[in-house]
Amino acid sequence: MSDELKPVTLDMILEKIAAYQPNADINKIVRAYEFAANAHRGQERVSGEPYIVHPMHVAYILTTLHLDDETICAAFLHDVVEDTDTTIDDIRREFGDDVAFLVQVVTKPKSHAPGQADRAKQENNFRQLLDSMRRDIRAVLIKLADRLHNMRSLGSMQPVKQMKIAGETDFFYAPFANRLGLNNLRRELENLSFRFRCPERYERLRHALEIDRAEQADRLDRLTARIRRLLSEEGIEVRTEVRYRLPYSIDRSMRGTGRDVAHVEHRYVVRVIYDRARLTPLLESAPDKTICLRIYGILTDAFSEKA
């Protein structure tokens, strides 16, 4: 996605939190950021960026899921025990038991088994995450956000590392997100994994979808304009979005149906989003189900199934 690696600032994170949790402990969040920034001072990611960029992105991803202030604090701090001299006791003294628990769960346990250290370490990490779900789902959400940003920035890694991380993502993290109902996160993890596991096929499909999007643009503009007009005439003001499926999803359909990309059905969807504040007085207090059925009825009356 074009904005997946856009710069993230502390002010952006605080603004997002304030929008959905007005009573959040902003001072504590700022202290957690400053603590992490000091702990990671001088460290860099493989891309050459200051390391603190990564926990900031993880925290920002979690604000899109409307996580609480303690989870955001843990997001800033999630790598300090693993990558610096900071201990869990340090975190507990500064930020309390709740934040310390979350950081401890997402910290990979150390493994000393020669020859199998990496695999044992990852297996222990998976086991620790699964076990944590019984006590606090927030730790899993931090780990999924951590993996999402790592996948978004995977291009700076060596190809061997890319394949390993992409394989783990496809095998464990994307299905995990799916089980939790985090569909947007799951789709992005699947697609990013596909991008690095099958780069040539991914690029061919991405290019084909770009061509299809350009060819369909005028027709879709007319379609969405008509949808908005039909609903406006009935007192329902909406906005529309055309969302194309990602290459991974198209690839699955192609393999399942034996069709080429031009003949895969439902390559895109049109989303119709209404604003309750702009509804007519007869509908503004109606349940969402009633409004959606009304929109569905208007559109199915206007468009035949073949259209």
Side-chain angles (χ1 to χ4, degrees):
M1 297 181 181
S2 59
D3 64 344
E4 66 189 22
L5 289 176
K6 64 183 180 182
V8 169
T9 66
L10 180 61
D11 285 343
M12 290 170 59
I13 295 168
L14 298 179
E15 182 179 345
K16 290 275 286 185
I17 296 168
Y20 68 81
Q21 191 182 351
N23 296 323
D25 189 343
I26 297 299
N27 288 333
K28 187 174 183 178
I29 294 169
V30 172
R31 285 198 298 111
Y33 162 76
E34 292 174 344
F35 188 100
N38 287 329
H40 290 298
R41 191 177 305 279
Q43 295 180 346
E44 293 183 347
R45 305 198 82 209
V46 175
S47 63
E49 296 174 305
Y51 195 89
I52 190 60
V53 168
H54 169 62
M56 289 181 72
H57 274 274
V58 173
Y60 186 80
I61 291 168
L62 291 171
T63 64
T64 67
L65 299 177
H66 292 188
L67 269 297
D68 65 353
D69 43 4
E70 294 197 326
T71 310
I72 303 304
C73 288
F76 281 127
L77 300 163
H78 77 275
D79 276 337
V80 297
V81 174
E82 188 173 333
D83 295 337
T84 77
D85 294 332
T86 304
T87 67
I88 289 295
D89 287 338
D90 294 332
I91 301 296
R92 184 174 292 106
R93 280 193 297 271
E94 290 290 331
F95 302 102
D97 291 338
D98 211 22
V99 175
F101 168 76
L102 294 173
V103 173
Q104 185 169 28
V105 170
V106 299
T107 298
K108 290 180 182 177
K110 299 190 182 301
S111 172
H112 302 290
Q116 293 187 338
D118 288 342
R119 187 171 70 179
K121 191 175 184 180
Q122 191 61 66
E123 288 174 355
N124 288 338
N125 191 38
F126 289 161
R127 192 175 296 111
Q128 184 169 294
L129 277 175
L130 291 169
D131 182 63
S132 75
M133 287 184 65
R134 295 181 299 176
R135 291 173 286 172
D136 200 326
I137 193 65
R138 295 176 299 171
V140 175
L141 298 178
I142 294 170
K143 195 64 181 177
L144 286 172
D146 172 54
R147 177 53 57 122
L148 178 57
H149 182 248
N150 282 334
M151 289 301 298
R152 286 175 173 179
S153 55
L154 196 58
S156 59
M157 307 285 271
Q158 293 295 318
V160 171
K161 194 75 169 177
Q162 290 175 352
M163 287 293 291
K164 175 182 179 294
I165 294 173
E168 289 175 359
T169 300
D170 187 59
F171 174 76
F172 183 80
Y173 290 98
F176 208 177
N178 185 50
R179 285 297 185 95
L180 294 175
L182 300 172
N183 292 320
N184 288 339
L185 196 151
R186 183 262 303 170
R187 281 193 290 266
E188 190 174 353
L189 287 173
E190 288 174 339
N191 196 60
L192 287 167
S193 174
F194 178 52
R195 173 184 168 188
F196 289 102
R197 289 183 297 106
C198 309
E200 293 182 0
R201 187 170 179 83
Y202 172 90
E203 198 57 36
R204 285 197 302 271
L205 289 174
R206 187 194 63 78
H207 183 63
L209 289 171
E210 279 189 358
I211 293 173
D212 190 73
R213 186 182 287 110
E215 291 176 345
Q216 300 291 336
D218 289 342
R219 187 179 71 84
L220 289 172
D221 283 346
R222 292 193 300 271
L223 172 66
T224 52
R226 187 181 175 196
I227 288 172
R228 293 192 298 272
R229 185 176 68 254
L230 286 167
L231 295 173
S232 180
E233 289 170 357
E234 298 292 332
I236 305 174
E237 300 297 330
V238 303
R239 60 185 175 89
T240 54
E241 294 178 358
V242 177
R243 177 172 293 183
Y244 263 78
R245 290 167 64 185
L246 297 171
Y248 175 83
S249 178
I250 296 293
D251 184 68
R252 286 191 63 182
S253 291
M254 290 171 62
R255 293 179 185 276
T257 62
R259 297 176 178 177
D260 62 21
V261 64
H263 294 90
V264 170
E265 294 182 338
H266 312 303
R267 295 188 300 280
Y268 55 82
V269 296
V270 177
R271 301 180 69 196
V272 178
I273 303 122
Y274 66 86
D275 182 353
R276 183 174 285 278
R278 300 179 65 192
L279 296 174
T280 62
L282 289 176
L283 285 174
E284 63 183 3
S285 60
D288 287 327
K289 182 178 180 179
T290 300
I291 298 168
C292 291
L293 287 173
R294 179 63 178 145
I295 291 172
Y296 177 78
I298 293 167
L299 296 182
T300 51
D301 283 345
F303 298 97
S304 69
E305 187 174 342
K306 290 183 179 179

